[in-house]
Amino acid sequence: MNSLLLYCRAGFEKELAAEITEKSSALGVFGFARVVENSGYLLFECYQESEADWLAQQLSIQQLIFARQMIVVSDLLSSLNPQDRITPIIEKYKNNTALDLTKSTELWVETADTNEAKELLTFCRKFTVPMRNAMKKQGWLVSNKQLKCGLTLHIFFIQPNNCYIGYSYNQHHAPYFMGILRLKFPVEAPSRSTLKLEEAIRTFIPKEKEHLHFNQEMYAVDLGACPGGWTYQLVKRGLFVYAVDHGKMASSLHETGRIEHCAEDGFKFHPPKRKKIHWLVCDMVEQPSRVITLIAKWFSYGWCKESIFNLKLPMKKRYQEVQKCLSYIETILDEKGFKVKIQAKQLYHDREEVTVHIQIM
Ligand SMILES: C[S@@+](CC[C@H](N)C(=O)[O-])C[C@H]1O[C@@H](n2cnc3c(N)ncnc32)[C@H](O)[C@@H]1O
């Protein structure tokens, strides 16, 4: 098994290829990214034996902006017999003698997140139970799901008779089927954008630490707040929110008594005096360079301690644009003496954009 198979939003394969090539070479691993546009995944073939496995142990999915999942695979298992797909898959796993399959905790039978592959999903679901049973007979998939050094087995179908078989390391993978965190839309929320902030919070902040990041003593500023999907998430977590936007905020949010609507320009808005703002969130549709400069200003002036914001990416060189923005803010904050943690991800609910989390440490 000497390739990484990485899943992404369809249309972002080139960005992911640029990213994995850069981040793996920074770790001394060189390879070649095979890209099929709009396929929703790519193969990164490492030049040296067993380097894909090594990479999967060094790189966490959290460090990759455009990847939803990362698995180690061997070459394509093709022309499977529809009467018995299970035997050759088991054999292929057994051929990898370096892999301790007794440490496997889960099996996911997956496909790409594209319209074309949607039909395959039904097949994947049906195939999972017999495949899982066959693996259990081998003594695999019996380890406790909490096993820190555990493996998840992935079978990634590109057609009903063609698949990649592989695995991911549990401590480094995205802990969701197809790398997608599925969320239920809260009916009382004013807009579907609410899911973006919810996914960002769940992605960037460990569940057990959420109470340290959000509580009733905290104030937040939401730039580009209307109609209030993001504000809703903050109010739900107890915060008082200054919602900045010339538009109209949902009346349900006014009724909570936990917001103040400021009909102002987000680029000119200053935080209210005598209020310590913890959170700055920003979902204004603007050029990434303008947004990152604004966020850098807020941190530099000590106006906020933590931020989640979007960088909209309508341009061509999207990976380069994101990198430019991230290194800009990193440099500015470093020069000012701030120690910060910066995370960025193209979330499932993000379209032509990525979401960034910055926290002062
Ligand atoms: C994508 S919507 C925000 C949706 C919101 N996050 C939600 O969850 O409901 C973008 C908003 O940014 C606002 N906006 C754009 N430019 C702005 C500016 N310079 N100042 C304040 N608001 C701005 C728009 O009026 C619009 O309501």
Side-chain angles (χ1 to χ4, degrees):
M1 297 202 180
N2 209 30
S3 297
L4 286 181
L5 195 155
L6 299 123
Y7 316 175
C8 65
R9 169 176 275 278
F12 283 81
E13 298 80 11
K14 280 188 190 156
E15 284 67 25
L16 180 53
E19 182 177 25
I20 189 67
T21 305
E22 189 179 302
K23 290 186 176 162
S24 63
S25 61
L27 289 166
V29 174
F30 300 93
F32 174 73
R34 275 187 201 282
V35 173
V36 177
E37 278 188 58
N38 294 312
S39 61
Y41 70 96
L42 67 79
L43 267 186
F44 183 70
E45 293 174 8
C46 300
Y47 295 141
Q48 303 289 328
E49 197 55 37
S50 69
E51 279 186 336
D53 177 271
W54 187 82
L55 262 186
Q57 295 191 56
Q58 304 304 313
L59 257 185
S60 160
I61 195 72
Q62 293 272 17
Q63 293 164 258
L64 294 170
I65 301 167
F66 289 96
R68 287 182 181 169
Q69 188 60 286
M70 174 179 63
I71 67 176
V72 184
V73 294
S74 48
D75 45 338
L76 185 70
L77 200 51
S78 57
S79 309
L80 289 169
N81 178 356
Q83 305 305 317
D84 178 19
R85 295 178 178 92
I86 290 177
T87 308
I89 291 177
I90 295 276
E91 286 309 310
K92 191 93 173 166
Y93 273 113
K94 279 185 177 169
N95 284 346
N96 187 347
T97 47
L99 204 59
D100 182 0
L101 290 158
T102 61
K103 285 189 174 162
S104 57
T105 58
E106 177 60 292
L107 164 72
W108 283 332
V109 182
E110 302 172 301
T111 183
D113 179 29
T114 61
N115 285 336
E116 300 75 56
K118 262 196 187 113
E119 286 170 24
L120 264 180
L121 253 190
T122 316
F123 163 77
C124 290
R125 291 221 164 91
K126 276 193 200 148
F127 186 64
T128 302
V129 175
M131 188 70 235
R132 205 175 260 153
N133 290 342
M135 288 177 155
K136 283 190 173 160
K137 273 193 196 147
Q138 298 289 328
W140 309 343
L141 306 182
V142 290
S143 283
N144 184 330
K145 292 219 166 90
Q146 309 306 324
L147 185 70
K148 271 232 156 120
C149 56
L151 299 171
T152 293
L153 306 184
H154 300 254
I155 303 175
F156 187 87
F157 276 92
I158 55 169
Q159 278 139 9
N161 299 325
N162 297 333
C163 64
Y164 289 98
I165 69 141
Y167 59 92
S168 60
Y169 287 96
N170 291 357
Q171 85 263 35
H172 274 171
H173 74 182
Y176 318 112
F177 178 71
M178 285 173 62
I180 296 173
L181 173 58
R182 297 206 178 259
L183 296 170
K184 201 164 162 256
F185 176 64
V187 281
E188 65 284 9
S191 70
R192 286 203 71 80
S193 296
T194 200
L195 294 177
K196 260 196 275 181
L197 187 57
E198 185 173 0
E199 187 184 355
I201 292 169
R202 301 256 303 254
T203 303
F204 296 132
I205 297 166
K207 187 91 191 124
E208 66 279 9
K209 294 203 174 142
E210 222 189 274
H211 65 286
L212 300 173
H213 296 257
F214 302 95
N215 63 55
Q216 299 203 343
E217 312 300 317
M218 288 178 177
Y219 292 88
V221 168
D222 182 355
L223 301 177
C226 291
W230 286 32
T231 293
Y232 166 86
Q233 290 293 335
L234 298 168
V235 168
K236 194 173 96 172
R237 289 172 170 78
L239 283 81
F240 185 95
V241 183
Y242 294 92
V244 184
D245 199 312
H246 283 292
K248 198 171 173 300
M249 287 297 279
S251 51
S252 55
L253 286 169
H254 284 289
E255 284 157 18
T256 63
R258 301 291 293 161
I259 72 159
E260 185 176 321
H261 183 199
C262 312
E264 294 179 46
D265 182 341
F267 287 92
K268 296 187 183 145
F269 181 80
H270 285 203
K273 290 203 175 87
R274 290 185 288 280
K275 290 280 188 290
K276 278 198 173 153
I277 305 293
H278 183 94
W279 274 99
L280 171 68
V281 298
C282 173
D283 190 22
M284 291 188 288
V285 183
E286 254 299 341
Q287 288 170 26
S289 56
R290 280 200 83 195
V291 172
I292 205 74
T293 309
L294 179 68
I295 304 288
K297 180 176 99 178
W298 274 69
F299 276 104
S300 303
Y301 289 1
W303 287 354
C304 67
K305 292 194 158 51
E306 199 161 358
S307 178
I308 288 180
F309 57 95
N310 273 335
L311 297 174
K312 317 278 177 193
L313 303 170
M315 67 289 296
K316 277 213 170 107
K317 297 201 161 177
R318 299 180 285 202
Y319 176 61
Q320 288 81 348
E321 184 68 27
V322 173
Q323 287 302 91
K324 204 168 81 188
C325 289
L326 296 181
S327 60
Y328 165 80
I329 199 159
E330 212 179 326
T331 309
I332 294 270
L333 297 182
D334 187 52
E335 281 169 7
K336 303 256 177 209
F338 287 103
K339 260 196 125 194
V340 292
K341 180 177 177 191
I342 303 179
Q343 306 180 78
K345 195 90 198 159
Q346 186 176 40
L347 303 170
Y348 175 64
H349 294 94
D350 281 337
R351 289 175 181 269
E352 298 253 299
E353 62 201 326
V354 296
T355 302
V356 185
H357 173 232
I358 301 183
Q359 180 193 357
I360 293 187
M361 302 306 286

